[in-house]
């Protein structure tokens, strides 16, 4: 039977709680702290033992995602701007194709039509560059938060840290694997209750971000396929409208990604601060006295 509060560990008390949520975990001898699973680091003699020098660091301590998150948010803003740019250029080009569908004597391959196509091509190139740059930095941030989650609570992780990178590049599975990684990050980053019990935070932000991303990817693939098959002016006009809708969904997904990045970063900063405060006395130098 799983714990009725965290739904992760085995229940051991009469009211259905695990030792973590019920606060009945036995203390370690001599005030020692438990090592982080899988790191080989922990209390005891030898190099690399014991906690790090602060709330952010290496070894048994998480690394700050704040700087990366700010860069990711800035690039996501560039993605939104490029989406709006390509939407405007695409709708302008679509209006010319609609005119050609109504009057086949029009020539949109020279003059205004040629300039509209060139503008649309430049907008598409800017959109692609913004997307690629953002994708690279987002994955770096995503991997760092996954490594931090291993420090905070390794028991709730469903997939290894490597999947925070590799999961995005597995065909079909990339519509699900990154979400499983993100779910573990979210659960591990949530701060604990003051009594040390497990606290849950609804995954509304996570679910909205991932749902928006998946819908945007699927609609974009359909729109690109229709655009590539379009030959007649009416077909090109309809395909341009669908591409504009896909770009709008991409902008919405970028906004939701900003909310998700901010939420996870904030939770990890708070969790690291709590961890630092809780272990502060243990890092005091031998022989030191409190005023």
């Amino acid at each position: 039977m799983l714990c009725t509060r965290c739904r992760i560990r085995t229940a051991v008390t009469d009211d259905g709680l695990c030792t973590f949520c019920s606060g009945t975990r036995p203390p370690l001898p001599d005030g020692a702290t438990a090592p982080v699973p899988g790191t080989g680091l922990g209390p005891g003699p030898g190099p690399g033992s014991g906690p790090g020098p602060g709330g952010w660091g290496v070894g048994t301590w998480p690394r700050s995602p704040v700087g990366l998150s700010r860069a990711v948010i800035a690039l996501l803003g560039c993605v939104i701007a490029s989406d709006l740019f390509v939407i405007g250029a695409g709708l302008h080009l679509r209006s010319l194709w609609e005119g050609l569908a109504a009057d086949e004597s029009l020539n949109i391959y020279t003059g205004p039509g040629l300039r509209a196509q060139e503008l649309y091509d430049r907008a598409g190139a800017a959109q692609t560059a913004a997307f690629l740059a953002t994708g690279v930095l987002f994955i770096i941030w995503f991997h760092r938060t996954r490594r931090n989650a291993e420090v905070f609570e390794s028991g709730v992780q469903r997939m290894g840290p490597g999947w925070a990178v590799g999961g995005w590049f597995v065909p079909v599975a990339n519509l699900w694997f990154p979400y499983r990684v993100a779910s573990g990050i979210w659960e591990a980053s949530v701060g604990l209750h003051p009594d040390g019990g497990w606290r849950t935070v609804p995954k509304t932000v996570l679910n909205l971000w991932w749902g928006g991303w998946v819908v945007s990817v699927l609609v974009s693939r359909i729109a690109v396929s229709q655009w590539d098959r379009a030959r007649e002016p009416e077909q090109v006009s309809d395909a341009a409208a669908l591409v504009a809708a896909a770009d709008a969904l991409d902008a919405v997904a970028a906004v939701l990604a900003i909310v998700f990045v901010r939420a996870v970063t904030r939770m990890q900063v708070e969790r690291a601060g709590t961890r630092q405060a809780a272990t502060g006395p243990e890092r005091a130098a031998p022989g030191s006295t409190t005023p």
Side-chain angles (χ1 to χ4, degrees):
M1 175 181 174
L2 293 178
C3 173
T4 57
R5 178 180 294 178
C6 67
R7 310 298 299 175
I8 297 172
R9 302 172 180 82
T10 302
V12 296
T13 62
D14 294 337
D15 53 354
L17 297 179
C18 64
T19 57
F20 190 91
C21 294
S22 63
T24 59
R25 288 179 297 171
L28 295 174
D30 301 325
T33 57
V36 177
T39 62
L41 300 173
S49 63
W56 298 114
V58 296
T60 59
W61 290 92
R63 298 180 62 190
S64 174
V66 175
L68 283 173
S69 71
R70 291 172 178 168
V72 170
I73 290 172
L75 284 177
L76 284 168
C78 294
V79 169
I80 296 172
S82 67
D83 284 336
L84 297 177
F85 180 26
V86 80
I87 287 173
L91 292 179
H92 175 56
L93 183 63
R94 177 176 181 265
S95 67
L96 297 178
W97 280 98
E98 284 182 326
L100 180 61
D103 184 0
E104 296 184 355
S105 64
L106 294 177
N107 183 2
I108 66 169
Y109 299 100
T110 60
L114 181 60
R115 289 193 295 272
Q117 183 63 53
E118 291 175 346
L119 177 64
Y120 186 65
D121 291 341
R122 286 195 294 268
Q127 183 188 44
T128 300
F131 179 83
L132 291 176
T134 304
V136 170
L137 204 58
F138 179 89
I139 290 175
I140 295 173
W141 170 87
F142 195 60
H143 183 260
R144 175 168 294 188
T145 57
R146 172 59 184 84
R147 298 292 297 183
N148 290 345
E150 192 78 16
V151 177
F152 294 143
E153 189 64 44
S154 62
V156 300
Q157 303 308 314
R158 298 165 179 81
M159 306 187 76
W163 286 109
V165 178
W168 296 95
F169 302 98
V170 180
V172 182
N174 57 9
L175 298 177
W176 176 244
F177 280 7
Y179 176 82
R180 288 176 58 83
V181 176
S183 182
I185 293 172
W186 186 275
E187 293 174 7
S189 301
V190 174
L192 303 177
H193 282 294
D195 59 0
W198 191 264
R199 185 169 65 93
T200 59
V201 173
K203 298 180 181 178
T204 305
V205 171
L206 168 62
N207 293 334
L208 286 175
W209 162 65
W210 190 249
W213 162 257
V214 171
V215 171
S216 172
V217 169
L218 296 178
V219 174
S220 179
R221 291 178 180 177
I222 295 173
V224 170
S225 176
Q226 183 171 333
W227 176 267
D228 292 338
R229 295 196 310 268
R231 294 295 181 268
E232 300 298 325
E234 295 86 351
Q235 295 175 338
V236 175
S237 177
D238 293 340
L242 185 57
V243 170
D247 291 330
L249 288 174
D250 185 70
V252 173
V255 172
L256 294 173
I258 290 175
V259 177
F260 171 71
V261 169
R262 288 172 58 89
V264 171
T265 301
R266 183 184 67 254
M267 289 193 299
Q268 291 207 342
V269 169
E270 292 175 353
R271 183 71 187 265
T274 302
R275 180 184 173 95
Q276 182 179 11
T279 59
E282 298 176 7
R283 296 197 302 273
S288 63
T289 58
T290 56

